[in-house]
Amino acid sequence: MKDQHIDTRCVQGGYTPDNGEPRQIPIIQSTTFKYTSGEEMGKLFDLEKSGYFYTRLQNPTNDMVAAKICALEGGAAAMLTSSGQAANFYAMFNLAGCGDHIVASSSIYGGTYNLISVTMARMGIEVTFVSPDCTDEELDAAFRPNTKLVFGETIANPALTVLDIEQFARAAHAHGVPLIVDNTFATPINCRPFEWGADIVTHSTTKYMDGHGVAVGGAIVDSGRFDWMAHADRFPGLCQPDASYHGVIYAERFGKEGAFITKCTAQLMRDLGSIQSPQSAFYLNMGLESLHVRMDRHCRNAEAVAVYLHAHPKVTHVSYCGLPDDPYYARARKYLPNGSCGVVSFELKGGREAASVFMNSLRLAAIETHVADARTCCLNPATTTHRQMTDEQLKAAGVPAGLVRMSCGLENADDLIADIAQALEKVQD
């Protein structure tokens, strides 16, 4: 697989049927698996043997699809979760616990911001948010002796800031911690964060990977490159005996390539159970097979829409890193040379009121709490996905109150622009 182009991995990765086996990934819709002896099953519970015994932890269908995503990202191991939010939580909670600290970019999805700043704070995990445009000195100052990880998004939702992955990875590694990057918007088609120094990648597979609004899901991919044992005191969960598994030391038993995902599966998925259903994994694989084709169309449509909005007199600002005057254009040329995503964020002169009139006047694009779909949709984040944030937090996250996030689908670009044009006519100057 390592020698194949990513297009081929989208179609063929994760599953190679033997003679007489199903050509399509089979749906193993079973909660349990039969064994001929208790001793055999006991080896699974002791992590001495690989296999399946209960779908809350692992399922063959899920593992086939996770293997494809792993191949797309160029990772060593991967797992599916029930949602992108679960993927981010598991990836961080696998390393940080009560009394620990996280460094995170302030420009991230509102739900993730709330997860870190509110829910994980209730678990005793503290966070320092930094600007995605911070200096090296500002980033370095955010670390503490109890910092366990750094988190950011390749392309932030919905601010569309582009993370300087190399800068954040360099700082994380200088302090002996891994960098976790949510690569949902870029997908591995347009950016592979491991190639720039990231250690762990997460996805909301609900978005472009699925691409058709069919099934909620998430994924975690480990690069297998971070040396946990070199920082054993900082990561006791990976480098000290796990009493709940007869004293297994994950970093010793499974090495750099398998420790993180094994612990995340055997411990967190066992106890919290946010598994993706095999049926959803099957739908996800169907989307992955066309991901490389769809991303090109999403990006071309978004660029056409961004260019049109940029020139419109009722639009005060357009965020799209493909525009030459966008502040992230140069960074996008580095990390996203083949395109970014299909999402365009923009502000209208009339603020929230104008945004409301505009969205209510659209005929082709739908108002949805969704993004990265085959069908074009839009929303006002300040009153939907980010409504739990204060005006100060919205500003820090790069999400002004009047922002409209438009996710350009696979329709004809001329039809999308025509719909936008007629809706803008309804907006008062």
Side-chain angles (χ1 to χ4, degrees):
M1 292 303 298
K2 290 184 179 299
D3 298 325
Q4 293 177 344
H5 290 86
I6 198 166
D7 311 47
T8 303
R9 297 184 195 186
C10 282
V11 180
Q12 299 272 5
Y15 170 65
T16 302
D18 288 330
N19 187 48
E21 291 187 340
R23 186 64 191 88
Q24 180 56 274
I25 285 179
I27 304 171
I28 310 300
Q29 194 67 46
S30 179
T31 60
T32 54
F33 301 83
K34 177 183 177 293
Y35 286 88
T36 56
S37 72
E39 288 76 18
E40 282 191 64
M41 183 172 284
K43 291 178 182 179
L44 300 179
F45 279 90
D46 288 344
L47 303 180
E48 294 177 356
K49 184 178 179 180
S50 61
Y52 305 93
F53 53 86
Y54 197 53
T55 284
R56 191 181 77 227
L57 280 87
Q58 284 180 288
N59 177 280
T61 304
N62 292 23
D63 283 356
M64 293 173 196
V65 180
K68 175 177 284 190
I69 295 173
C70 188
L72 294 178
E73 286 288 6
M79 63 186 289
L80 298 187
T81 62
S82 60
S83 67
Q85 192 79 323
N88 281 333
F89 173 62
Y90 277 24
M92 290 185 280
F93 197 57
N94 205 32
L95 301 175
C98 184
D100 291 332
H101 175 254
I102 291 171
V103 174
S105 169
S106 62
S107 188
I108 55 177
Y109 169 58
T112 309
Y113 189 102
N114 195 73
L115 167 67
I116 298 171
S117 64
V118 178
T119 302
M120 294 182 72
R122 293 175 58 197
M123 300 175 179
I125 302 171
E126 295 183 310
V127 61
T128 298
F129 288 106
V130 296
S131 167
D133 305 319
C134 63
T135 65
D136 289 340
E137 293 73 21
E138 290 169 334
L139 182 53
D140 184 72
F143 287 84
R144 302 176 187 174
N146 60 337
T147 300
K148 294 299 177 74
L149 64 97
V150 180
F151 179 86
E153 295 178 2
T154 308
I155 306 172
N157 174 15
L160 301 183
T161 57
V162 178
L163 188 72
D164 190 337
I165 301 173
E166 282 193 317
Q167 178 196 21
F168 276 67
R170 186 169 56 248
H173 297 160
H175 290 271
V177 302
L179 171 63
I180 301 176
V181 174
D182 185 328
N183 198 34
T184 296
F185 267 18
T187 80
I189 302 302
N190 288 337
C191 183
R192 286 153 60 94
F194 294 154
E195 296 176 357
W196 301 101
D199 301 289
I200 297 156
V201 162
T202 61
H203 285 277
S204 170
T205 62
T206 318
K207 310 305 190 296
Y208 287 119
M209 285 188 166
D210 172 328
H212 301 85
V214 176
V216 174
I220 307 171
V221 186
D222 179 22
S223 68
R225 297 173 187 166
F226 192 86
D227 191 347
W228 306 107
M229 290 303 291
H231 309 281
D233 291 342
R234 192 182 293 271
F235 301 105
L238 286 161
C239 303
Q240 293 181 13
D242 180 358
S244 70
Y245 272 110
H246 308 290
V248 64
I249 300 175
Y250 296 100
E252 285 186 355
R253 172 82 65 84
F254 303 100
K256 292 189 295 184
E257 295 80 8
F260 184 86
I261 292 296
T262 301
K263 176 178 180 292
C264 205
T265 301
Q267 195 179 82
L268 298 188
M269 192 63 82
R270 175 198 63 190
D271 294 343
L272 300 175
S274 299
I275 192 73
Q276 186 170 147
S277 76
Q279 186 77 44
S280 292
F282 177 84
Y283 293 143
L284 169 57
N285 185 63
M286 296 290 284
L288 288 170
E289 290 180 353
S290 64
L291 180 64
H292 58 297
V293 179
R294 290 184 288 106
M295 285 306 295
D296 178 67
R297 181 61 173 263
H298 282 298
C299 292
R300 286 191 285 113
N301 279 357
E303 184 169 353
V305 166
V307 169
Y308 174 80
L309 290 168
H310 188 266
H312 201 284
K314 293 182 181 179
V315 177
T316 61
H317 177 72
V318 178
S319 292
Y320 188 72
C321 62
L323 295 175
D325 64 349
D326 188 271
Y328 296 97
Y329 181 79
R331 195 176 291 174
R333 293 299 88 198
K334 174 181 177 179
Y335 294 114
L336 305 154
N338 298 318
S340 56
C341 66
V343 181
V344 180
S345 293
F346 58 96
E347 294 178 71
L348 299 177
K349 287 184 177 179
R352 285 180 192 248
E353 292 76 15
S356 177
V357 171
F358 169 78
M359 292 192 300
N360 291 340
S361 301
L362 290 167
R363 298 169 183 166
L364 187 61
I367 301 174
E368 298 177 7
T369 308
H370 192 38
V371 70
D373 190 274
R375 294 158 290 270
T376 296
C377 56
C378 68
L379 55 72
N380 171 235
T383 56
T384 54
T385 57
H386 288 60
R387 72 179 299 131
Q388 79 278 3
M389 297 171 68
T390 66
D391 285 346
E392 291 75 18
Q393 290 172 331
L394 286 170
K395 184 178 180 181
V399 188
L403 189 78
V404 174
R405 183 188 71 182
M406 177 166 282
S407 175
C408 300
L410 303 179
E411 304 92 346
N412 185 281
D414 291 340
D415 292 335
L416 294 181
I417 291 172
D419 189 33
I420 292 169
Q422 66 83 23
L424 286 172
E425 288 179 3
K426 309 293 194 306
V427 177
Q428 298 295 319
D429 290 325

